[in-house]
Structures are given as structure tokens and as C-alpha cells.
């Protein structure tokens, strides 16, 4: 995926260079080095304690040049670039920006959701909120409207427009099945729904042609309520994705299809198994194929937790992430009572418990774990907050703060083959979060965000000043 995009960018740069060089309007001597914008001075960040995505480096100095980490120097190094802008983050903690490998954008407005909201303005609104909360890369995993490619191309190289966006386009679902068009508000359904293996290959080729970064599929009968995707259809989808040099990620809920998908070459299990405990066959399939597993613990909890009014509902860190209409809904006693009485709430509590137990089992078994939340798919899956809640829930599955942060940075980037980020090491993107309290001591300290840097620029912060539009 990176190879395709990097090659395309190089080609565009080459074409732009040729056009400029050959254009008569610019005159024979117009295109010189002097016309190129001057490279901004390097930036030296001093005195912060840095967790680089895998190790606590203690207090080090970061040298940033051209949007990348150029060097990690020991404190007091006397050979730092003299022309650098120097920033003192004494007493602060720096960790890599979070990489959300399962999110959605442009799908909500107030308490409503659906593909009618998929506009550039709504996508940018979500990307900015993710970024303000420290999420600097977002993989929008399906249900992206027809404008996805244009919006992605327009926003993904400008860090001032929010987290860097990657995505799956519409994705591949089952005819009349998941994702449920009516429940998800898909009036102009962007999801391809092939009925045969040949149609699945055509759909994947069309999405690859349109420039998607990944192929998403849904394999879920929604508790027996929806027709399944036939195995020959999902096998063809995965195989064709690989022929197109793309990863395949699947929405699942139940163990049986998840096991067969992994055995069929799936790269990313994009939700946790929630119908039963994972068994040795699934663990073995994951370990043999090295597929990644993203639990999205937060999604089932989000179905009921806000109706319970936990004391943290009133914290500014959450409240500031909510549109006014959502705050009003969550304060409504009738909505709260109806939500808690809903039989789905009982199922959601059980699903979270199963998801936590399975994630714990897979962690102990050494399975490859990625980070995602499904934030942005529905109004209760709150961009930015969802990621911090997911990290906190990971503590209940036995992760240490350091392990959870490694999953959400280094491992999630690697799972998406984004080997230019996820670690604060020389040559990688300077995407990082500056926080006031030690997140390795308590993962909730990651909420004390003072600044967010993306591609070597300070783009957001402090989070306490952020207000959802
Ligand atoms: Zn999703």
C-alpha cells in the first residue's frame, strides 16, 4: 500500500517538475533553486522524557527536520544545529501519536448518523477532533462515501486539517446483510455487496482502482438476523485484495467466521470475538498467519455506559468532545431509562466481558494486537475520547500502560504497513503527543495533553481548550 502511494507521489512530483521546467509562461530562467520555498529551520525539543513507542528513553533531545525525527540526542549534546528553533518541554512526557487502525469519519451529525453526512467539512471536523485528542493517523474502515478518494487526497498532506486520513472506501458487504444499510443510515449505500466470487473480485478491483488504502469486509450475521457473506465471496475478496497489494480487514463478531477468515489469509480481524471464548484453533490460526487482532473493546460499552452516568461522564475531557445534541440526549432521564432497559444492553455487557477475556487470552498467547475503536461510526463512539477509553479498558485485559501504548503506536502502524511512523526514531514522521503527567505510570495521564505535533508541526493543544463543534 505504501509502495503504491509513494510511487504515485514521486510520479506526481516528477510531472510537476517537468511541467514547471517546460512551461513557457514561467520563462527560461524562472525555475531555479531560488524559487523553492526555503526549508524551515530544524526544531530541537529539549528536556522532555520520551517514550519512543517501545522504550522509555528517559530525558532526551529530539531534533526534527523536514517533518521527520532527524536525531534522538542525549541531553546536553553540544553538536545540535545552531540555527534550530529550540523548545523546552521540561517536566513533560512525549509519546508517539496514536494510530487508530479502525475508525470512521464523516458519518455523524449530532445524535444522527448516516452516509448523508459524508462531506469534506464533516470529515475534517472528525479528523481535527481525533488530532486534538492525540490520534495522528486514522484508518477509516469502510462506509466512506463516493467522495472518499478526493477528500483523502485533499486533506491527507495538510496536518492543519487534522489526523492523517487513510481509508477503505465503501468496503465489501453481503447483499441485504452487514453492514445493515437501514440501521447505518446508508441511503446511497457506498458498500459494494457482491453475490458471487467473480463479482467480489470486480468490486475489489474497482475499489483498488479508486485508490483505497485497504479492503474492508463485513462477515457477520448480526446474531442470525442478516444473511451471511458466503465463504467463496470472502475468500475471493481477500485473495483479490492481496493481488492488488492491499491488506484485507474484516468486521466480525463471532468466533467461527473469524477463524475461517484468518485461515483464508485475512490480515486484520477488525473487532474482537464476542460470542464465545477464543479456542486453540483460532489462536493457532492467528499465530500461523501473523494476522492482527483489533479488539475495539469500547464499542459494546458505549452502548450503555453513558446512560449509567459514571462520574467521569462530567469530566471536561469527555464533555468537550461531545456535540451539544449528544450531551442533551445523555442527560435525558427517559433516554437513560430506555437505554438501560433495552435487552441489547444486557447483551452488550456480556459482549464486553467476552471481548476482554479473549483479548487477555490472545495477549498471553503472543498474538499480534492492533489498536482501533470504531470511533466515528455512531455518535456514542466519540472520536478522540474513545481511544483513551480503549487504552484504559486494555488495562482490564492485563496490559501495562507501556504495552498498551506500544500497541496503539508502533504495533498499529506496523499492522497497517505504515513503517514511516509509530516510533519516535530517526527517519520516522515527527507525530507525537506532549503530556503533563506520566502515562507509563497511569494510562489516564495520557489525557493531560498539552500539545499535539504532526509531521513536525505543532498542530493542536492543549486539549483542555478543545470544544466539539
Ligand atoms: Zn467499523
Amino acid at each position: 500500500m505504501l509502495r503504491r502511494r509513494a510511487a504515485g507521489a514521486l510520479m506526481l512530483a516528477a510531472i510537476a517538475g517537468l511541467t514547471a521546467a517546460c512551461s513557457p509562461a514561467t520563462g527560461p530562467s524562472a525555475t531555479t533553486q531560488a524559487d523553492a520555498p526555503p526549508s524551515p529551520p530544524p526544531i530541537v525539543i529539549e528536556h522532555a522524557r520520551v517514550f519512543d513507542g517501545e522504550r522509555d528513553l528517559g530525558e532526551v533531545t529530539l531534533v526534527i527536520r523536514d517533518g521527520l525525527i532527524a536525531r534522538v540526542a542525549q541531553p546536553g549534546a553540544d553538536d545540535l544545529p545552531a540555527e534550530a528553533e529550540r523548545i523546552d518541554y521540561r517536566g513533560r512526557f512525549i509519546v508517539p501519536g496514536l494510530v487508530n487502525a479502525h475508525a470512521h469519519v464523516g458519518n455523524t451529525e449530532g445524535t444522527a448518523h448516516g452516509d448523508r453526512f459524508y462531506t469534506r467539512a464533516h470529515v475534517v471536523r472528525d479528523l481535527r477532533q481525533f488530532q486534538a485528542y492525540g490520534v495522528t493517523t486514522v484508518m477509516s474502515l469502510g462506509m466512506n462515501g463516493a467522495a472518499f478518494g478526493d477528500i483523502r487526497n485533499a486533506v491527507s498532506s495538510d496536518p492543519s486539517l487534522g489526523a492523517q486520513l487513510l481509508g477503505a472506501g465503501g468496503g465489501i458487504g453481503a447483499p441485504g446483510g452487514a453492514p445493515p444499510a437501514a440501521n447505518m443510515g446508508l441511503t446511497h449505500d457506498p458498500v459494494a455487496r457482491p453475490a458471487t466470487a467473480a463479482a467480489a473480485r470486480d468490486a475489489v478491483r474497482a475499489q483498488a482502482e479508486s485508490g483505497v488504502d485497504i479492503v474492508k469486509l463485513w462477515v457477520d450475521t448480526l446474531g442470525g438476523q442478516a444473511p451471511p457473506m458466503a465463504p467463496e465471496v470472502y475468500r475471493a475478496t481477500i485473495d483479490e485484495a492481496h493481488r492488488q497489494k492491499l491488506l484485507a480487514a474484516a468486521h466480525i463478531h463471532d468466533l467461527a467466521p473469524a477463524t475461517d477468515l484468518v485461515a483464508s489469509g485475512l490480515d486484520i480481524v477488525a473487532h474482537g470475538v464476542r460470542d464465545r471464548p477464543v479456542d486453540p484453533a483460532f489462536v493457532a490460526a492467528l499465530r500461523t498467519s501473523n494476522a492482527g487482532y483489533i479488539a475495539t473493546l469500547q464499542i459494546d460499552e458505549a452502548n450503555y455506559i453513558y446512560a449509567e452516568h459514571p462520574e467521569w461522564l462530567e469530566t471536561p475531557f469527555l464533555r468537550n468532545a461531545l456535540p451539544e445534541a449528544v450531551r442533551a440526549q445523555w442527560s435525558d432521564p427517559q433516554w437513560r431509562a430506555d437505554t438501560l432497559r433495552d435487552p441489547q444492553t444486557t447483551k452488550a455487557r456480556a459482549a464486553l466481558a467476552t471481548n476482554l477475556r479473549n483479548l487477555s487470552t490472545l495477549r498471553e498467547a503472543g498474538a499480534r494486537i492492533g489498536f482501533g475503536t470504531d470511533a466515528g461510526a455512531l455518535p456514542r463512539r466519540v472520536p478522540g475520547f474513545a481511544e483513551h477509553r480503549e487504552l484504559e479498558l486494555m488495562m482490564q485485559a492485563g496490559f501495562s500502560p507501556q504495552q498498551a501504548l506500544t500497541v496503539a503506536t508502533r504495533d498499529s502502524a506496523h499492522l497497517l504497513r505504515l513503517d514511516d511512523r509509530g516510533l519516535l526514531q530517526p527517519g520516522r514522521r515527527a507525530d507525537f503527543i506532549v503530556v503533563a503527567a506520566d502515562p507509563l505510570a497511569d494510562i489516564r495521564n495520557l489525557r493531560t495533553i498539552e500539545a499535539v505535533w504532526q509531521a513536525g508541526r505543532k498542530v493542536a493543544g492543549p486539549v483542555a481548550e478543545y470544544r466539539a463543534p
Side-chain angles (χ1 to χ4, degrees):
M1 159 177 83
L2 261 187
R3 211 164 39 242
R4 281 165 55 92
R5 300 195 64 210
L10 281 176
M11 194 177 295
L12 279 177
I15 291 168
L18 275 177
T19 309
C22 300
S23 166
T26 57
S29 62
T31 309
T32 64
Q33 283 296 79
D35 286 344
S39 191
I43 298 169
V44 166
I45 291 183
E46 298 177 283
H47 303 303
R49 183 170 146 203
V50 175
F51 172 70
D52 74 352
E54 55 191 13
R55 288 172 306 148
D56 177 3
L57 304 180
E59 187 188 312
V60 292
T61 299
L62 300 177
V63 181
I64 298 169
R65 199 187 287 274
D66 298 328
L68 305 176
I69 305 289
R71 184 178 162 199
V72 180
Q74 287 309 304
D78 57 7
D79 56 347
L80 299 171
E83 75 279 21
E85 178 188 348
R86 295 175 93 108
I87 294 172
D88 186 343
Y89 276 137
R90 196 175 302 266
R92 313 307 201 287
F93 300 80
I94 289 179
V95 304
L98 305 183
V99 177
N100 189 337
H102 186 170
H104 296 274
V105 291
N107 204 52
T108 64
E109 172 69 62
T111 58
H113 65 276
D115 68 339
R116 65 190 184 281
F117 301 120
Y118 202 89
T119 63
R120 175 180 162 146
H122 283 115
V123 170
V124 168
R125 171 204 63 190
D126 291 342
L127 294 174
R128 284 202 165 118
Q129 182 156 318
F130 278 118
Q131 182 186 65
Y133 281 76
V135 184
T136 51
T137 300
V138 167
M139 176 62 81
S140 181
L141 211 52
M143 298 187 297
N144 296 284
F148 164 72
D150 289 340
I151 295 174
R152 194 270 319 277
N153 292 342
V155 307
S156 66
S157 59
D158 185 350
S160 73
L161 296 176
Q164 193 173 42
L165 175 65
L166 300 164
I172 311 280
N183 292 356
M184 293 311 297
L186 303 176
T187 41
H188 299 283
D189 190 359
V191 179
R193 298 178 185 274
T196 65
R201 289 185 186 276
D202 287 345
V204 171
R205 279 194 290 265
Q207 293 186 5
E209 190 68 26
S210 75
V212 302
D213 302 289
I214 197 166
V215 171
K216 164 70 177 283
L217 56 160
W218 282 261
V219 184
D220 187 358
T221 61
L222 309 172
Q225 303 298 301
M229 181 183 281
E232 65 268 23
V233 171
Y234 62 70
R235 287 187 194 124
T237 299
I238 295 167
D239 182 64
E240 191 61 36
H242 292 166
R243 286 173 193 268
Q244 302 298 324
K245 307 278 185 263
L246 294 169
L247 297 168
H251 162 111
I252 58 94
H253 184 282
D254 298 342
L255 179 62
T259 305
D260 194 53
L261 282 159
V262 172
S264 304
L266 185 77
D267 303 289
I268 300 175
V269 180
H271 288 296
V273 169
R274 285 162 287 163
D275 64 327
R276 66 191 64 200
V278 292
D279 59 13
F282 181 67
V283 176
L286 271 184
R287 297 212 41 176
T288 302
S289 73
N290 203 29
Y293 180 94
I294 299 174
T296 65
L297 297 167
Q298 196 268 333
I299 57 167
D300 294 293
E301 186 194 57
N303 288 353
Y304 60 86
I305 193 77
Y306 304 116
E308 285 183 345
H309 274 206
E311 65 182 48
W312 47 265
L313 183 63
E314 300 304 325
T315 57
F317 187 78
L318 171 55
R319 290 189 65 82
N320 294 345
L322 303 177
E324 185 54 46
V326 172
R327 280 195 230 179
Q329 182 188 63
W330 293 0
S331 299
D332 175 9
Q334 190 63 49
W335 175 84
R336 294 180 58 196
D338 290 348
T339 299
L340 295 176
R341 245 196 325 266
D342 191 320
Q344 292 302 323
T345 288
T346 308
K347 290 185 184 169
R349 290 182 205 280
L352 173 60
T354 303
N355 204 356
L356 279 166
R357 193 169 58 203
N358 285 337
L359 181 59
S360 180
T361 300
L362 294 170
R363 180 187 58 76
E364 286 170 9
R368 187 179 188 188
I369 308 295
F371 184 71
T373 58
D374 220 10
L378 297 169
R380 59 181 177 261
R381 300 177 190 168
V382 183
F385 179 79
E387 288 68 29
H388 290 266
R389 184 64 183 163
E390 184 79 13
L391 288 167
E392 189 179 3
L393 289 170
M394 286 172 77
M395 302 300 106
Q396 295 180 32
F399 289 81
S400 70
Q402 176 162 334
Q403 288 168 336
L405 280 172
T406 293
V407 166
T409 58
R410 181 194 72 178
D411 294 351
S412 209
H414 193 237
L415 187 57
L416 296 175
R417 296 187 192 153
L418 298 173
D419 293 329
D420 61 344
R421 68 194 75 193
L423 285 168
L424 298 176
Q425 294 177 355
R428 308 253 183 178
R429 285 168 59 98
D431 293 351
F432 57 87
I433 320 172
V434 182
V435 297
D438 182 3
L440 302 184
D442 181 339
I443 197 64
R444 288 170 301 184
N445 287 341
L446 193 67
R447 301 177 183 198
T448 61
I449 297 171
E450 295 196 347
V452 179
W453 287 64
Q454 192 171 308
R457 287 164 56 184
K458 179 176 179 292
V459 285
V463 72
E465 292 175 9
Y466 179 83
R467 300 291 181 276

